Amino acid sequence: MLYKTNARSLLVTTAVVSWALLLANVLFSAHRLREQGVAQLSLPFLNNLLIVVFLVSVFLFQRLSTESLKGVDFIGYLWNLFSKAAVAAYVSVALFLGYKVMTNYADTESPLLLHLVYQINFGLLVVFLAKAFYIWRQLLLYHKNKFLQIAWDWFELLLGAMLLLTIFNFDYNSYIFMPLLALIGFYILFLCTNLKWVAYLTFSNKSRSLVLLGAILLSCYIFVRFFRGLKDSPNLVIDYTDVSFLLLAMMFVGSYTLAAFLVSLFSLPTSSVFEQKSEDLLNFQRLSQSIQQGQSEAQVYDMLFESTIKASDASASWFELIRNGEPQVTHLLNINIDQIKRIRHLLLAYNIHNIDYINNNLNRNPGFRDLMLPWKSLIILPIKSKNYLSGVLYLLKDIEQGFDRETVNVLRTFTSQTILTIENLRLISESLQNERYKEELKIATQVQDSLIPKKFPVDSWFEISTHALAAKEVGGDFYDFLQLSESRIAIIIGDVSGKGISAAFHMAQMKGIFHGLMQQDMPPSEFMKQANSALSRCLEKTSFITSALYIIDYSMKGFMFARAGHCHTLYYNAMMDDVFYFQTDGLGLGIIRDKSYANHIREMYYDYNPSDVMVIYTDGIVEARNEANDEYGEDRLKYMLQQTYHLEAEDIKYAIINDLENFTGPDNLYDDQTLLVIKFKPVEPNK
């Protein structure tokens, strides 16, 4: 920190001194022009050297200052740029207007005053460009990869090389330089496509960013207009439009500002959609936290009613709580009891009673049309577990096709989570009051079992075999998958600390977070960061979750993954005929509950070959013990894969599980066990 402070002080001093010497040289040359009519700089080489020193000092100072800006407060970045640099353009306008007023009042030209204003504006321009250059660098490299980092480093080196041309007074308008300038322009356009940060702005923040970006764009225009306007002035002894470095820096700053403005503007209409997704995820978490917060069933139904209305943008709604087999209306929105009775009577006539039902064209049905009601779409969502009906939710919209597939999936996710929450609330309540604890645990097991996929998609590229065994009636191990596209699938595995109901509850939370976040198709490392942020709000301080996320891309023949403190992945590489563990860094979710968690997650990409085998498991496999208290261990698991990699995935799994059972002996299960075996197939010819 002391080093940076001293370096900044030295750079400020160097910039001020070089600018002052440059000003003195320019004013002296302007005086000679006025007295002797000689329009030539004194010591032009020294003048060019001072320009370079001033540019380097200001840019390095801004680089050190901008490095202190951290986090994802993107509006803060834009405000910092506007308030500390972009306003320089408006100061420039004020100075030039003041000069015009003075010369018009005195009715005479003042070359020395013009040069003074010109030099001050040059300094303001350099400060603005340096600040904007490194603010945009911070945003451009948000979510960077190695390729983008290298591309930026080369861009900075290229601009540094331009400074050498300034020292030697090279004319960038020459035929030699113009093709190079065009190539650099295309390079700048490529860099300007990296605007990932814009996607993380909310609707209100995008509106504010448009104002700030517009002001920054206007600053660019003011400076360009000022210096281009004085380019051919006979009263000036120096022309900074000949400095190629300034030209390229302005080209980058202006282009990136314009690109950010346009992307923010055109993505503004869709911002509300992504905010709705985030709101759905937050509401899902609120439902998931109901047990921990000690809320009642009535409060859970309140949250369900509010969340589903927001998610579907329903025009009217009501909720019926089933008590002693009879429906009782407990929640209403924009509908009265008489209308409810008429709709319910018609549904009973059509034998639609407490079932999952959607009708997006009510006005085409004679019965509904005769009711003369304003609604045209209806969805019925029963809150029903395997053996028990808790309630029925009715949602209505005044437009046709009001409930699309995505909205229906979100609504069913809410009702599924409500079912799980209600069942767990009842389970806890009844287990504390009577001896029916085991019977209720079976219900929770059935609900939890419904969350675990029974089948993975079958594809010609790979095969998957799974094994899951809980140490108690309900466990904390989980795995799931999500088909991201025709050629990409996301697979997650995890282990919740602890066992029993609490672990199963957190497992359900993690499943909801997985499906909520991966709808945005984010990379594994980003998923871990956002999942940690979400879980930090609901996990007890003593709880954490280990997990690993894999995204397999069949078309690219590779997969990328990140682990959050989970067991290392065991892998067989068919090309090298080698079995090994991927040794990657990672920290469990919920252990560190601040932004520094991002420093503990690493992402890895690996190309797979036909016949490669990947073994994913929880610690209940390798930490299983026999009667002598010896662990099964990673070495024995690795040995089993070495002996069985040539088999099908299903046979590899059974071989490992049989060996594990032979090692531990019967009825010796102390922790949940989960095992996934993935084998990549050779390419099959089209038939």
Side-chain angles (χ1 to χ4, degrees), residues 164-434:
L164 297 177
L165 301 182
T166 302
I167 295 177
F168 297 108
N169 205 24
F170 187 86
D171 182 12
Y172 69 83
N173 289 314
S174 66
Y175 290 108
I176 298 176
F177 187 79
M178 291 304 290
L180 178 60
L181 185 64
L183 290 175
I184 296 174
F186 283 114
Y187 196 81
I188 289 174
L189 290 177
F190 159 71
L191 292 176
C192 290
T193 60
N194 294 279
L195 293 156
K196 296 178 182 178
W197 58 276
V198 176
Y200 292 88
L201 295 176
T202 62
F203 182 85
S204 61
N205 281 345
K206 281 184 180 175
S207 302
R208 294 166 59 193
S209 71
L210 286 173
V211 176
L212 292 172
L213 289 168
I216 296 167
L217 269 178
L218 183 58
S219 300
C220 295
Y221 173 77
I222 290 171
F223 278 123
V224 171
R225 179 70 181 270
F226 175 81
F227 284 96
R228 294 292 295 179
L230 294 176
K231 175 176 173 59
D232 299 321
S233 174
N235 295 322
L236 291 178
V237 298
I238 188 169
D239 181 10
Y240 289 116
T241 61
D242 291 333
V243 180
S244 57
F245 177 86
L246 292 178
L247 172 69
L248 293 175
M250 178 58 80
M251 186 185 300
F252 168 72
V253 170
S255 299
Y256 196 85
T257 307
L258 179 61
F261 181 87
L262 293 176
V263 171
S264 299
L265 178 63
F266 291 118
S267 63
L268 194 62
T270 61
S271 296
S272 57
V273 176
F274 292 104
E275 289 182 40
Q276 181 62 50
K277 294 298 181 185
S278 300
E279 181 70 20
D280 292 344
L281 179 59
L282 180 60
N283 288 329
F284 184 85
Q285 290 178 356
R286 289 172 55 206
L287 281 171
S288 301
Q289 296 169 19
S290 300
I291 296 176
Q292 290 178 316
Q293 296 173 353
Q295 293 178 331
S296 64
E297 288 188 27
Q299 290 172 313
V300 173
Y301 291 133
D302 288 342
M303 284 188 287
L304 171 67
F305 193 71
E306 294 172 4
S307 301
T308 52
I309 289 172
K310 289 180 180 179
S312 63
D313 194 25
S315 306
S317 177
W318 83 89
F319 179 73
E320 295 177 353
L321 188 64
I322 307 300
R323 291 181 176 173
N324 299 322
E326 295 296 324
Q328 179 181 342
V329 177
T330 58
H331 298 74
L332 288 171
L333 175 69
N334 299 331
I335 193 171
N336 57 48
I337 296 297
D338 179 64
Q339 292 171 325
I340 291 174
K341 289 181 179 178
R342 290 158 61 193
I343 294 174
R344 186 191 293 154
H345 179 75
L346 183 61
L347 291 173
L348 288 174
Y350 288 142
N351 199 27
I352 300 172
H353 180 62
N354 298 336
I355 62 172
D356 195 322
Y357 174 77
I358 302 173
N359 189 327
N360 277 318
N361 297 285
L362 293 179
N363 59 339
R364 298 183 184 180
N365 183 286
F368 279 103
R369 194 164 53 242
D370 292 342
L371 294 179
M372 302 294 290
L373 296 175
W375 303 291
K376 299 179 181 179
S377 298
L378 166 69
I379 184 171
I380 303 174
L381 297 167
I383 312 302
K384 180 169 60 175
S385 64
K386 195 169 185 178
N387 301 311
Y388 191 83
L389 177 66
S390 301
V392 183
L393 178 66
Y394 299 81
L395 298 168
L396 294 151
K397 298 190 76 169
D398 52 11
I399 56 173
E400 291 187 355
Q401 303 300 323
F403 299 100
D404 55 58
R405 180 179 299 179
E406 184 178 359
T407 301
V408 171
N409 288 337
V410 171
L411 295 175
R412 285 173 175 162
T413 300
F414 280 128
T415 56
S416 297
Q417 182 59 40
T418 301
I419 293 168
L420 178 62
T421 303
I422 294 299
E423 288 294 341
N424 280 322
L425 282 171
R426 290 172 177 170
L427 174 64
I428 293 172
S429 175
E430 293 178 12
S431 66
L432 294 174
Q433 297 175 11
N434 51 52

Side-chain angles (χ1 to χ4, degrees), residues 377-638:
S377 298
L378 166 69
I379 184 171
I380 303 174
L381 297 167
I383 312 302
K384 180 169 60 175
S385 64
K386 195 169 185 178
N387 301 311
Y388 191 83
L389 177 66
S390 301
V392 183
L393 178 66
Y394 299 81
L395 298 168
L396 294 151
K397 298 190 76 169
D398 52 11
I399 56 173
E400 291 187 355
Q401 303 300 323
F403 299 100
D404 55 58
R405 180 179 299 179
E406 184 178 359
T407 301
V408 171
N409 288 337
V410 171
L411 295 175
R412 285 173 175 162
T413 300
F414 280 128
T415 56
S416 297
Q417 182 59 40
T418 301
I419 293 168
L420 178 62
T421 303
I422 294 299
E423 288 294 341
N424 280 322
L425 282 171
R426 290 172 177 170
L427 174 64
I428 293 172
S429 175
E430 293 178 12
S431 66
L432 294 174
Q433 297 175 11
N434 51 52
E435 299 179 356
R436 297 173 58 191
Y437 179 73
K438 291 185 178 181
E439 180 182 350
E440 297 298 327
L441 275 177
K442 291 179 181 179
I443 299 175
T445 304
Q446 293 171 356
V447 175
Q448 180 189 3
D449 186 61
S450 66
L451 298 175
I452 299 294
K454 303 299 183 295
K455 293 182 179 180
F456 275 77
V458 178
D459 199 279
S460 61
W461 288 96
F462 69 99
E463 57 185 23
I464 300 179
S465 182
T466 64
H467 166 81
L469 188 62
K472 293 187 175 182
E473 287 84 354
V474 286
D477 283 6
F478 68 95
Y479 62 89
D480 204 350
F481 76 95
L482 184 64
Q483 194 79 42
L484 303 178
S485 66
E486 291 184 359
S487 63
R488 299 174 71 247
I489 183 174
I491 299 175
I492 191 171
I493 188 172
D495 187 0
V496 180
S497 61
K499 300 179 182 67
I501 296 174
S502 176
F505 170 70
H506 293 318
M507 183 208 79
Q509 284 182 309
M510 190 62 188
K511 178 184 176 71
I513 290 172
F514 169 66
H515 280 274
L517 291 178
M518 288 309 294
Q519 294 292 335
Q520 304 177 35
D521 196 6
M522 58 182 59
S525 57
E526 182 62 22
F527 168 83
M528 293 303 181
K529 297 170 192 175
Q530 296 204 29
N532 185 72
S533 176
L535 289 169
S536 296
R537 303 186 189 99
C538 53
L539 277 177
E540 304 96 339
K541 291 184 178 180
T542 56
S543 298
F544 64 93
I545 297 175
T546 67
S547 182
L549 175 63
Y550 307 78
I551 297 180
I552 301 175
D553 191 329
Y554 322 151
S555 62
M556 299 298 293
K557 297 183 180 179
F559 59 89
M560 56 180 173
F561 69 95
R563 57 179 289 269
H566 199 71
C567 302
H568 293 293
T569 305
L570 180 60
Y571 198 83
Y572 166 71
N573 186 302
M575 182 176 292
M576 296 186 298
D577 193 27
D578 185 28
V579 177
F580 56 89
Y581 286 95
F582 285 114
Q583 300 293 331
T584 54
D585 295 333
L587 188 65
L589 302 170
I591 295 178
I592 294 180
R593 306 193 176 196
D594 55 38
K595 294 180 180 179
S596 66
Y597 178 80
N599 301 325
H600 298 276
I601 292 296
R602 297 291 181 271
E603 192 173 274
M604 182 176 179
Y605 184 88
Y606 194 84
D607 293 321
Y608 66 75
N609 305 299
S611 300
D612 280 11
V613 180
M614 182 160 56
V615 178
I616 308 169
Y617 56 94
T618 58
D619 57 9
I621 298 291
V622 293
E623 294 179 3
R625 296 178 179 274
N626 59 15
E627 294 180 354
N629 206 32
D630 298 321
E631 280 191 357
Y632 185 78
E634 291 183 344
D635 290 339
R636 184 157 180 164
L637 181 62
K638 179 180 178 182

